[in-house]
């Protein structure tokens, strides 16, 4: 049955091709018929038509089209009839032949093609012109511009998608050393790295470079390089960040002003019509606030215009304010990948709908909440990166400019990585005249070694000062020593050691009879260094040794911040969700709300143990956390309430899908 269907389909296609051939033979110079026949078929189908035309009439269809048509319409139709590889080969040949050179064409084609497209183009050039494309380019260009073109012509860029974090840092440092750090520029280093590394790798290199150089790679290229070489390297960087955005820019430049660069317009519309035209259209609309369709319509005329509009495919200005067709497709791709638990390095197009909303939503807080609250932190980091790659803008700055007060704090907190967020919370706790000791305690007591070490690195990177030094300058005495001990991130890990637990419990019991300084030092040496499983056993043995609970001893014998710190450690060791539930209750009870504490806990625990915190809150305070937040934040900020509630829903998603 399936074999019969396949034969039937093939036969049907042959018959249709035959009738198309007859139509083309009969239409003579009926441009409208030619336009409809050519633009409504894929390139593969057009190649079948060319072959059938020659078989039926013994004539070359392209030659006949050249004879019947004229001007820009002829160039466009004839180019559509070539395969992508032969079209690229002809564009390169036209760019280098004769007295002058079209460097911008060389840059556009070679900077934007993948390895397979380049290999196919090289083979097509050899077949069509009996020469090597590399030889012709070498003869027609010079200097570092020539060297980079030759590198790109090899078609050897790494396309594995595998990223080595150490190599990312090394490449970023090498680029910095080759340009900004020295007098003069080591162009060879730029050529080697930008011409060979994978797209994914280079996007991460650009981020690392910006942290080192405190300027973007684009700005460095503009200051260090010049002429055609500068334009080529900028094109490579733009294509690495977003090929659709690169072509959107090229299309806009081809049509803005008095004249139209028809060669560029034709070349791009043909070569991208079956690849990423939807994404180019969307990038165009985002960047220039006008649809590509309407700009072509205003800048061209006649059959030439009609053909270009057919290739464009649609007017995004008619497709809705926030979600043009490409964005809807991208959004569906993203949701599908999330629901099927596909672990991928998501391409920029997967985030297009979210980015479109961020770009166009203005102060549409509901749209922003909807996007951020329903994604995990890892996904939000990808959105940050994609936003910068696609639009060249800092999403965090845009959000700060659009939001205010508590909603801004909450949204920005969610967009930071956990380490960045903790570092910022530590900074906020210490900046200004007063110190929020409860925040310092809460963060340092409840974070794992890895989380503390990541926070310290993020703090130093953001504020150019070690977190330990900041703590030492803002606190004093035993409290300072406790915090410094915790900030080392060197707490032991592993199960309880029964023999050692007995010894530790006895030492703590004996310390209760010593003076306060010795007691606090002994408590610090054990409570700040032992693993949580071990400390649970120590506390059990302590009751046997002293006939008292360690919490009672801390409350009775200690005071101030030292008491609060040790008490927080004990509460976290015994039941960390219960500790956070109590912190949330204290943040909201009474007349005012401690919004910073509420935001800090909800953000930091939303993907870790918020379900358990909710359970403990309900059991301890006989009210659901959901209801408590709704009542306590309604007057202060309904938006804060709304987003916090959504976080609870988000948590189920993150747990089910293992924090995709």
């Amino acid at each position: 049955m399936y074999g019969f269907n396949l034969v039937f389909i093939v036969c049907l296609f042959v018959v249709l091709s035959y009738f198309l051939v007859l139509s083309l033979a009969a239409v003579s110079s009926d441009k409208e018929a030619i336009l409809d026949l050519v633009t409504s078929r894929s390139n593969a189908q057009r190649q079948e038509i060319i072959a059938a035309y020659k078989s039926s009439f013994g004539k070359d269809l392209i030659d006949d089209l050249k004879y019947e048509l004229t001007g820009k319409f002829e160039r466009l139709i004839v180019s559509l009839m070539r395969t992508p590889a032969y079209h690229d080969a002809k564009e390169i040949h036209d760019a280098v032949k004769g007295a002058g050179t079209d460097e911008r064409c060389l840059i556009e084609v070679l900077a934007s093609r993948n390895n397979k497209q380049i290999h196919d183009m090289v083979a097509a050039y050899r077949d069509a012109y009996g020469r090597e494309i590399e030889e012709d380019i070498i003869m027609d260009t010079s200097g570092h511009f020539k060297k980079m073109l030759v590198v790109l012509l090899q078609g050897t860029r790494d396309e594995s998608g595998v990223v080595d974090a150490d190599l990312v840092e090394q490449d970023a440092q090498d680029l910095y050393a080759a340009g900004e750090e020295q007098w003069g520029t080591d162009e060879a280093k730029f050529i080697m790295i930008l011409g060979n590394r994978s797209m994914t790798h280079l996007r991460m290199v650009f981020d690392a470079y910006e942290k080192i150089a405190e300027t973007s790679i684009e700005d460095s290229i503009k200051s260090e390089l010049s002429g055609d070489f500068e334009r080529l390297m900028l094109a490579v960087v733009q294509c690495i960040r977003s090929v659709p955005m690169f072509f959107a820019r090229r299309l806009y430049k081809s049509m803005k002003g008095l004249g139209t660069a028809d060669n560029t317009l034709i070349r791009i519309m043909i070569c991208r019509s079956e690849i990423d035209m939807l994404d180019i259209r969307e990038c165009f609309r985002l960047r220039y606030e006008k649809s590509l369709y309407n700009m072509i319509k205003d800048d061209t005329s006649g059959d030439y215009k009609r053909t270009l509009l057919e290739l464009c495919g649609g007017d995004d200005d008619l497709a809705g304010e926030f979600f043009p067709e490409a964005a809807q497709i991208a959004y569906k791709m993203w949701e599908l990948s999330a629901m099927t638990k596909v672990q991928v390095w998501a391409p920029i197009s997967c985030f297009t709908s979210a980015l479109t909303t961020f770009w166009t939503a203005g102060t549409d807080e509901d749209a922003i909440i909807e996007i951020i609250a329903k994604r995990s932190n890892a996904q939000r980091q990808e959105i940050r990166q994609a936003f910068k790659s696609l639009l060249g803008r800092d999403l965090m700055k845009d959000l700060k400019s659009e939001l205010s007060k508590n909603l801004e704090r909450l949204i920005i907190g969610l967009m930071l990585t956990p380490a960045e967020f903790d570092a910022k919370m530590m900074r906020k706790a210490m900046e200004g005249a007063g110190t929020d000791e409860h925040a310092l305690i809460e963060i340092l007591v409840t974070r794992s070694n890895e989380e503390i070490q990541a926070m310290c690195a993020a703090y130093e990177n953001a504020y150019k000062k070690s977190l330990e030094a900041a703590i030492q300058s803002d606190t004093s005495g035993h409290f300072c020593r406790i915090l410094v001990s915790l900030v080392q991130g060197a707490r032991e890990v592993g199960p309880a050691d029964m023999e050692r637990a007995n010894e530790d419990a006895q030492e703590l019991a004996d310390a209760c009879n010593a003076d306060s300084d010795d007691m606090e030092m002994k408590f610090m040496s054990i409570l700040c260094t032992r693993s949580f499983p071990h400390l649970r056993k120590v506390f059990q043995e302590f009751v046997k040794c002293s006939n008292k609970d360690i919490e009672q001893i801390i409350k009775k014998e200690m005071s101030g911040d030292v008491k609060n710190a040790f008490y927080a450690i004990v509460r976290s060791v015994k039941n960390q969700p219960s500790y956070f539930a109590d912190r949330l209750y204290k943040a909201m009870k009474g007349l005012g709300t401690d919004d910073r504490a509420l935001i800090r806990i909800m953000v930091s625990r939303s993907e870790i143990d918020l379900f358990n915190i909710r359970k403990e809150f309900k059991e301890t305070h006989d009210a659901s956390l959901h209801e408590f937040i709704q009542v306590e934040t309604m007057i202060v900020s309904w938006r804060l309430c709304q987003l916090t509630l959504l976080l609870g829903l988000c948590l189920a998603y993150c747990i089910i899908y293992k924090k995709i």
Side-chain angles (χ1 to χ4, degrees), residues 207-227:
D207 287 341
Y209 180 88
E210 191 162 347
K211 293 177 182 177
I212 296 170
E214 297 183 349
T215 188
S216 69
I217 188 71
E218 289 92 338
D219 288 341
S220 289
I221 288 173
K222 290 174 185 176
S223 65
E224 296 293 328
L225 309 179
S226 62

Side-chain angles (χ1 to χ4, degrees), residues 400-625:
K400 286 178 182 177
S401 70
E402 295 294 338
L403 307 174
S404 61
K405 297 182 180 179
N406 287 327
L407 181 61
E408 179 211 329
R409 291 179 196 159
L410 184 47
I411 292 288
I412 295 298
L414 285 165
M415 293 304 299
L416 294 169
T417 67
E420 290 171 339
F421 179 71
D422 282 346
K424 184 174 182 179
M425 292 298 99
M426 293 293 287
R427 175 78 168 188
K428 289 291 184 184
M430 293 183 284
E431 71 179 359
T435 303
D436 186 349
E437 290 86 0
H438 288 291
L440 299 178
I441 292 168
E442 174 199 301
I443 294 170
L444 291 177
V445 163
T446 59
R447 302 312 191 251
S448 67
N449 290 343
E450 292 76 13
E451 289 169 334
I452 289 175
Q453 289 160 10
M455 173 180 63
C456 288
Y459 191 96
E460 188 157 3
N461 181 61
Y463 307 112
K464 312 306 177 188
K465 181 179 182 180
S466 74
L467 180 53
E468 181 179 333
I471 289 171
Q472 288 175 331
S473 66
D474 209 64
T475 58
S476 60
H478 286 306
F479 180 58
C480 176
R481 285 190 280 273
I482 292 169
L483 297 182
V484 168
S485 176
L486 293 172
V487 86
Q488 305 308 306
R491 183 180 292 279
E492 297 171 0
V493 295
D497 181 330
M498 287 301 301
E499 184 176 347
R500 192 180 180 202
N502 291 330
E503 294 173 0
D504 287 344
Q506 189 60 58
E507 287 186 25
L508 291 174
D510 293 342
C512 293
N513 299 318
D515 62 53
S516 60
D517 282 351
D518 290 342
M519 177 184 178
E520 289 172 1
M521 289 300 293
K522 178 54 68 177
F523 269 62
M524 185 180 76
S525 68
I526 294 175
L527 268 59
C528 294
T529 61
R530 306 294 195 260
S531 72
F532 275 24
H534 180 85
L535 286 175
R536 290 190 195 101
K537 191 62 183 175
V538 170
F539 298 160
Q540 292 172 5
E541 295 302 315
F542 182 86
V543 174
K544 297 177 183 178
C545 295
S546 63
N547 202 32
K548 294 178 182 178
D549 186 85
I550 196 163
E551 288 183 37
Q552 296 175 335
I553 295 295
I554 291 171
K555 287 181 180 179
K556 180 180 178 182
E557 301 294 335
M558 299 181 188
S559 62
D561 296 326
V562 171
K563 178 186 76 173
N564 293 335
F566 285 142
Y567 185 72
I569 292 173
V570 172
R571 289 291 312 279
S572 292
V573 168
K574 288 184 174 181
N575 187 338
Q576 196 165 94
S578 175
Y579 167 73
F580 279 116
D582 186 54
R583 291 283 297 142
L584 285 170
Y585 178 76
K586 289 177 179 176
M588 292 182 283
K589 75 172 184 177
L591 294 177
T593 300
D594 185 349
D595 294 303
R596 289 191 183 277
L598 178 59
I599 291 170
R600 184 174 61 247
I601 296 171
M602 294 301 293
V603 170
S604 65
R605 311 313 293 184
S606 61
E607 296 181 37
I608 300 175
D609 54 2
L610 189 54
F611 271 172
N612 292 331
I613 293 170
R614 287 167 50 182
K615 177 175 176 290
E616 293 294 336
F617 194 98
K618 175 73 172 176
E619 292 179 358
T620 305
H621 304 291
D622 197 29
S624 73
L625 177 59

Side-chain angles (χ1 to χ4, degrees), residues 243-290:
V243 171
M245 183 58 80
F246 168 75
F247 281 114
R249 289 189 180 117
R250 291 284 293 151
L251 285 167
Y252 180 77
K253 289 178 181 178
S254 74
M255 291 181 281
K256 74 172 184 176
L258 294 177
T260 302
D262 293 297
N263 286 341
T264 300
L265 180 57
I266 291 170
R267 182 171 59 247
I268 297 174
M269 294 302 293
I270 288 173
C271 74
R272 310 313 292 187
S273 60
E274 295 182 35
I275 300 176
D276 52 5
M277 185 54 69
L278 280 174
D279 291 329
I280 293 170
R281 282 166 45 185
E282 188 177 357
C283 290
F284 194 97
R285 185 168 181 260
L286 285 170
R287 187 171 183 84
Y288 302 110
E289 298 181 352
K290 182 177 183 178

Side-chain angles (χ1 to χ4, degrees), residues 315-410:
D315 183 1
D316 296 317
D317 288 340
L318 300 177
E321 185 177 0
F322 296 136
F323 291 93
E325 300 97 322
Q328 294 179 30
I329 294 169
Y331 183 79
K332 293 300 181 185
M333 289 172 60
W334 168 252
E335 292 299 325
L336 180 63
S337 68
M339 294 303 291
T340 53
K341 296 180 278 187
V342 177
Q343 292 280 2
V344 296
W345 179 273
I348 288 175
S349 60
C350 289
F351 301 105
T352 310
S353 63
L355 302 181
T356 303
T357 303
F358 275 131
W359 182 259
T360 59
T363 54
D364 185 352
E365 295 171 349
D366 289 326
I368 293 173
I369 288 170
E370 181 73 12
I371 292 167
I372 291 179
K374 290 189 176 180
R375 282 163 176 82
S376 68
N377 188 272
Q379 291 169 338
R380 293 192 288 266
Q381 300 316 309
E382 298 224 36
I383 289 174
R384 276 177 69 181
Q385 176 61 48
F387 191 89
K388 197 165 192 177
S389 297
L390 181 59
L391 303 174
R393 296 170 64 96
D394 189 323
L395 177 56
M396 304 296 273
K397 291 180 181 177
D398 282 6
L399 287 171
K400 286 178 182 177
S401 70
E402 295 294 338
L403 307 174
S404 61
K405 297 182 180 179
N406 287 327
L407 181 61
E408 179 211 329
R409 291 179 196 159
L410 184 47

Side-chain angles (χ1 to χ4, degrees), residues 35 72-73 76 293-312:
L35 188 158
K72 293 177 286 189
F73 183 56
L76 181 52
Y293 186 96
N294 276 328
M295 191 152 184
I296 292 172
K297 189 176 180 180
D298 294 342
D299 211 64
T300 58
S301 61
D303 295 314
Y304 175 56
K305 174 175 74 174
R306 289 188 59 237
T307 308
L308 289 172
L309 293 178
E310 287 293 328
L311 293 175
C312 183

